Amino acid sequence: MISAIGLIGALALLIWMTIRGVNILIAGPVAAAVVALTSGIAWLPPLAAEGAPNFATSYMDGFVGFFADWFFIFLLGAIFGEVMGRTGAAASIAHAVTKALGPRFALAAVVLATAILTYGGVSVFIVAFAVYPLAVQLFRSADLPHRFIPGALAFGSVTFTMTSAGSPEIQNLIPMQYLGTTAWAGAGVSLIVAILMASLGYFLLSRMIARAVAKGEHFEPRKGVDDDTRNPSELPRWWAALLPLVTVFSVFLIFQYPEYLGALSNILPPESLGKWALVVALGSGIIVAALIGLRSRERLPTAFSIGATGAVVAITNTCAVVGFGTVAQLTPAFQQALGAVQSLPGDPLIGAAIAVTVIAGLTGSASGGQSIALPLIAPHYLAEGANPAELHRVVAIASGALDSLPHNGYVVTTIRAVCGETHARAYPAVAMTTLLVPIIGTIVAIALFTIF
């Protein structure tokens, strides 16, 4: 009982500290220490009984383990996003989208531009920085409330694109190493669910904005926010700007399925590279993006430097909540909850979805939640005969639901650092699109897999 109270209280404390602006690298260990205290786990190795876990070692095992598994992908993804942004390639794509749709469809333009960049390989941790300047211009021209920009950016990046089949985002890649699947697992159902999530999310977000406008809200520029003042004529052509995205997607696909390339397969690895295919793809995309942006070559060193720094910040923020989750999974309350989920009667997909959703909520991270949950639940459900491809897709979609609670690193960064907003003003729209919509998408995915 005390363990359960401590776990719930620690999660509440983690959320509260994050909302209050406490750095996640501090909030994560503090909350994890509370979990350890209320579950009888020693804080330091010398204080633990022989063979018993302790807070310090367990937390760092989770922290370092995630860092080791995903650092190169975070690094190359961040550098790719920065190169796309600094050379003007991302702005060029966003300008083309907004020019085609016009200010009247400002929300659709922001969502579409973000979705294109995300599905093209720009990390979800980086894409908001690239699209935000254009979002400000569009929302100003359409006189839409600024507080909805974080919701638009989050909806376009961490919902129907992040967890869809073929997405190069790590949230779609993590299940591969535990289930033996590919990034295209469950593609048919994934397409249907993605269309549903995109349509539903856009409808809900546009209704929220319409109601706010009807109540008299207008665009209010945030203090310290700058527009992207570059003239579109100075940017790369939109079709050229798309080449790095096409490169990332194509190379990723090639190294996922080398067996379908005929004679070319003789000069490529005979088997899929799994998640490492994205390392090759992002590296190729960086080279193409740098070549496309040669006119801005003086900005490339800065892009690489800032990208590398941003990668460390992004991955350590995620590692901090993974460490929290690693300590949490040692508690009696966590083990009891996991046992209850695994013993749920009926389709294993339901149990897997619930387990991943809950753990992603506890850790405040889709990728962190998957990394903790899958080693525990994958063997169990595969042994029960669950289809690996179906399990992959359900787990991926489910991980993108409760992960977006207020303490989520992406949420905090997008609302506060990128958009200069507060949780009180901006989080309702983020929650509507990144919590409710993925939950509905998960339910529909399970239903479709069950029917077909």
Side-chain angles (χ1 to χ4, degrees), residues 3 110 234 261 288 322 346 352 426 444:
S3 176
V110 173
E234 301 174 353
L261 296 178
V288 174
V322 171
V444 172

Side-chain angles (χ1 to χ4, degrees), residues 132 135-147 149 213 216-222 225 227 425:
Y132 175 70
V136 170
Q137 292 180 1
L138 279 167
F139 271 56
R140 174 183 280 114
S141 63
D143 197 23
L144 302 181
H146 181 279
R147 67 186 180 93
I149 292 180
V213 171
E217 289 193 45
H218 300 277
F219 180 85
E220 299 176 5
R222 297 292 92 192
V225 169
D227 288 339
R425 283 172 49 87

Side-chain angles (χ1 to χ4, degrees), residues 411-424:
V411 171
V412 173
T413 300
T414 301
I415 290 178
R416 295 182 178 274
V418 177
C419 300
E421 280 288 353
T422 65
H423 273 67

